[in-house]
Amino acid sequence: MEKVKMIGYLIGLDTKLHKGLIEQAYNKRKFAFSLDVWQGDFRDIVPNLEVEFELSDKKEVTLVKPKTTEATDYIIRQTKSIRDCIYDFFGGVENLMQTYKKDINSGKNLDFLRIKRFLLTAYNDLFELDSTISNTALTTLKSELVKLGREYESFAKKSSHPPQYSYEKIFLAKQIEYVKNEEAISSTKSIIASGSVQQASMASTLKNMEEQFVARRDNGSAGYLHAQMNLKHFRKRYVDLLHYLQQQKEKLEKITQAGKDFEEKYFDEFLRSYVPLIAELKSDFIKLLNSKAYDLDALLWQRAKKSLSVRRFFIEAGITGTYSSKTFLKYFLRSLDESKIRHETKELFELLKYLETFSKKNILLIQQDQDDSKRYMEYLEHFDKDLNVVSSNNPKSSLSLLKSNNFNIIVMEWEVNGMKATNYVQLYTKLQKLEGREVAFFCVMVPNKLSDKEMQEAKECGVQYFIPNNNIDQFIDMMRMIL
């Protein structure tokens, strides 16, 4: 009969049924056995005792004995790589970042952690003004961002622990031999504690027995000889206990040191893998949230500015500025005294400062008449003080401004100093593409007599918006829509 030798741990013992239970090392398969096949002192049996056992070809345990104790037995081996341990703990986040790689690298950036609460509030407020604002794309994007926000909170909590705690939870807790060693330390301490109590009790009993025996005067009698034999047996049991306790203390010292050696051996290596990975995941996660927050904010206001209900609300509430979170927040805060507010509201004032910096827009005005330029600039600055407006009365010379300014919108009259807007747009677009820069929105002020053919030519050149000339109200409304 072929027998297979294996290593395992004694995890169960039932003296009434005369049976034990072994858990095989590494794969954790369990085997029941009869105590008849135990080869060793039954006093050595302790919980999680490492044992050697043999299996027959029928998978029956034919022999169990304590694993041979050598100095090398107290060297703990690594059973799972650092990389695998970290992946088990943060693999879901790594996979998530791979899924959203395109969004992470999009360059879109709106500070999610700052704007989260207000952005969702604005979403709900605008939905109350006009429920048709919320279409499938918008609700899907909002739900996705909320879910990602929860995922980030979970990740941030898991990754915020001190390095030593993370090392223990992520790496050490996954090392089979280390965990077994910790269990052995715990059980050995319990054995020593229990044995020490027993030793103290036996020492007291032995002292009393010795004093009583010395006081006897019936030397040679049957009672005397019986007492002498009992004392001898009890003393041997006491000495055996002392020896056993000493062995356990020596064992505890060795396995404790083995655990410390293992902990120290891999700590620095763990940190070299763990710290950069966590920093990278956190950076990518925040980029992802910022990108999605940007998309939600942009889509929300893109739909809101087309709503008659929202536009009516802005007009009736006297709200000046673009259809944006910045303008909406400014409206919300305008009745509050910044010096008399709670911490939560103070954070909103800080958010407003951020949005004002974030939403700076540059506009180039190209008009024939300088007085018209001055008047339009004043209207724009009154409309939104954060706009940076530059004017020019010479289309050709204005092209030099493009090298030092990145304009978001260029507004030009149909013809200025002999140059038509279509020619200017073509020249500007060519220069911007040569510089590798984005092309601005083009808005052209057109006269009433402009033909359909000229309008079509302008569209083909890249003009997106047309405004009747000398109509300030329509101009401001168009700027609000574009911005």
Side-chain angles (χ1 to χ4, degrees):
M1 182 181 292
E2 184 182 357
K3 295 181 180 178
V4 181
K5 292 184 179 181
M6 296 182 175
I7 301 296
Y9 300 92
L10 189 62
I11 61 170
L13 188 66
D14 190 328
T15 55
K16 290 183 179 180
L17 297 177
H18 204 60
K19 289 185 177 182
L21 185 65
I22 298 170
E23 180 184 274
Q24 187 179 353
Y26 307 118
N27 64 18
K28 295 192 174 183
R29 286 192 301 171
K30 296 177 175 59
F31 299 93
F33 68 96
S34 168
L35 292 184
D36 293 335
V37 301
W38 173 259
Q39 292 190 4
D41 193 328
F42 282 103
R43 291 183 301 177
D44 293 337
I45 294 180
V46 294
N48 295 307
L49 175 69
E50 190 169 14
V51 296
E52 298 175 3
F53 66 103
E54 294 180 357
L55 289 180
S56 69
D57 55 358
K58 294 182 179 179
K59 304 299 181 185
E60 295 175 344
V61 179
T62 58
L63 180 147
V64 185
K65 64 180 181 178
K67 188 171 181 292
T68 305
T69 304
E70 300 173 1
T72 53
D73 289 345
Y74 294 111
I75 296 175
I76 302 171
R77 293 179 295 266
Q78 181 181 1
T79 56
K80 193 166 191 174
S81 71
I82 289 173
R83 174 66 191 176
D84 286 347
C85 289
I86 294 175
Y87 185 82
D88 283 353
F89 205 70
F90 288 111
V93 178
E94 283 191 274
N95 293 336
L96 190 66
M97 294 305 101
Q98 287 299 320
T99 302
Y100 284 101
K101 204 69 179 175
K102 186 177 179 180
D103 295 281
I104 292 169
N105 296 325
S106 69
K108 298 173 184 176
N109 185 32
L110 179 60
D111 194 328
F112 170 79
L113 298 180
R114 280 188 180 183
I115 201 173
K116 172 187 174 183
R117 192 182 310 170
F118 179 76
L119 182 58
L120 296 177
T121 299
Y123 179 99
N124 293 331
D125 289 349
L126 292 171
F127 181 80
E128 286 186 12
L129 287 171
D130 186 350
S131 61
T132 64
I133 287 173
S134 185
N135 65 354
T136 302
L138 192 60
T139 54
T140 300
L141 185 54
K142 179 202 171 190
S143 298
E144 183 180 28
L145 184 56
V146 170
K147 182 180 178 182
L148 287 171
R150 287 197 295 264
E151 293 275 0
Y152 176 77
E153 288 175 4
S154 175
F155 163 75
K157 184 177 180 180
K158 289 169 68 175
S159 62
S160 65
H161 299 297
Q164 183 63 45
Y165 177 86
S166 299
Y167 178 57
E168 293 171 2
K169 187 173 183 63
I170 297 172
F171 178 72
L172 294 181
K174 299 299 180 180
Q175 303 303 313
I176 295 173
E177 292 195 7
Y178 175 82
V179 172
K180 293 294 183 183
N181 192 72
E182 290 296 292
E183 291 172 353
I185 289 173
S186 178
S187 63
T188 304
K189 285 180 177 179
S190 296
I191 289 169
I192 293 172
S194 175
S196 296
V197 172
Q198 185 182 359
Q199 181 259 328
S201 174
M202 288 181 70
S204 176
T205 302
L206 180 60
K207 182 181 178 182
N208 291 334
M209 288 176 68
E210 287 175 336
E211 289 175 349
Q212 291 173 11
F213 184 75
V214 170
R216 293 182 74 103
R217 294 292 179 264
D218 57 342
N219 295 25
S221 67
Y224 180 88
L225 293 175
H226 182 70
Q228 186 181 45
M229 185 173 292
N230 284 343
L231 177 60
K232 182 179 179 180
H233 286 320
F234 193 85
R235 187 181 288 121
K236 184 180 184 304
R237 285 177 54 205
Y238 179 70
V239 171
D240 287 345
L241 178 59
L242 290 177
H243 178 67
Y244 177 70
L245 281 174
Q246 183 59 35
Q247 285 181 321
Q248 294 302 308
K249 289 175 182 178
E250 290 173 359
K251 175 186 174 182
L252 178 61
E253 184 179 349
K254 289 178 181 178
I255 59 179
T256 300
Q257 187 59 50
K260 289 180 179 178
D261 291 343
F262 185 85
E263 291 167 11
E264 293 173 1
K265 182 177 181 180
Y266 294 99
F267 183 64
D268 289 341
E269 185 181 347
F270 173 81
L271 290 187
R272 284 194 295 271
S273 297
Y274 177 75
V275 174
L277 175 64
I278 294 306
E280 181 183 349
L281 289 177
K282 184 176 182 180
S283 174
D284 284 351
F285 217 142
I286 289 175
K287 287 179 184 177
L288 170 59
L289 290 170
N290 291 354
S291 174
K292 288 295 182 180
Y294 181 98
D295 288 342
L296 179 61
D297 182 73
L299 184 57
L300 174 64
W301 288 105
Q302 180 184 330
R303 292 190 59 77
K305 69 185 181 183
K306 295 176 183 178
S307 164
L308 293 176
S309 298
V310 172
R311 294 172 72 177
R312 188 183 305 114
F313 172 76
F314 268 58
I315 293 170
E316 292 175 354
I319 303 174
T320 59
T322 59
Y323 291 105
S324 64
S325 290
K326 179 196 73 172
T327 301
F328 206 49
L329 178 57
K330 192 181 292 185
Y331 162 72
F332 176 75
L333 295 175
R334 68 185 182 183
S335 62
L336 302 178
D337 184 346
E338 191 173 357
S339 63
K340 300 177 181 178
I341 55 176
R342 296 180 302 172
H343 173 71
E344 292 82 2
T345 312
K346 204 172 189 85
E347 288 181 347
L348 291 177
F349 279 98
E350 293 298 319
L351 173 61
L352 178 59
K353 291 176 184 177
Y354 162 73
L355 290 176
E356 287 174 340
T357 303
F358 177 82
S359 59
K360 291 284 185 184
K361 301 291 184 182
N362 298 320
I363 297 178
L364 174 60
L365 271 177
I366 305 174
Q367 292 175 283
Q368 182 75 36
D369 187 271
Q370 291 185 357
D371 290 336
D372 284 345
S373 295
K374 183 179 179 182
R375 185 160 54 93
Y376 273 77
M377 285 179 69
E378 287 175 352
Y379 271 98
L380 281 171
E381 288 167 354
H382 174 71
F383 163 67
D384 189 339
K385 67 180 180 63
D386 294 322
L387 294 175
N388 178 36
V389 186
V390 178
S391 68
S392 174
N393 306 107
N394 189 325
K396 290 182 180 179
S397 64
S398 72
L399 292 171
S400 63
L401 296 171
L402 304 177
K403 294 181 180 179
S404 55
N405 293 277
N406 189 23
F407 292 105
N408 303 102
I409 300 175
I410 296 177
V411 182
M412 183 176 176
E413 291 179 344
W414 180 247
E415 186 171 344
V416 179
N417 283 329
M419 180 178 282
K420 284 189 175 181
T422 50
N423 300 124
Y424 183 86
V425 171
Q426 290 172 335
L427 187 56
Y428 161 82
T429 303
K430 183 178 179 181
L431 288 172
Q432 288 297 86
K433 288 183 176 179
L434 284 173
E435 294 288 333
R437 301 173 73 173
E438 290 185 8
V439 177
F441 283 108
F442 271 100
C443 183
V444 175
M445 300 178 189
V446 294
N448 294 329
K449 62 181 181 179
L450 194 66
S451 69
D452 292 341
K453 182 181 178 181
E454 289 174 313
M455 187 81 79
Q456 185 60 36
E457 286 177 358
K459 288 180 179 179
E460 291 173 356
C461 285
V463 177
Q464 294 105 319
Y465 303 96
F466 298 89
I467 309 170
N469 207 2
N470 294 318
N471 190 322
I472 286 290
D473 290 337
Q474 285 196 28
F475 172 73
I476 292 299
D477 193 46
M478 183 65 73
M479 287 300 103
R480 190 199 295 271
M481 291 288 290
I482 298 171
L483 292 166

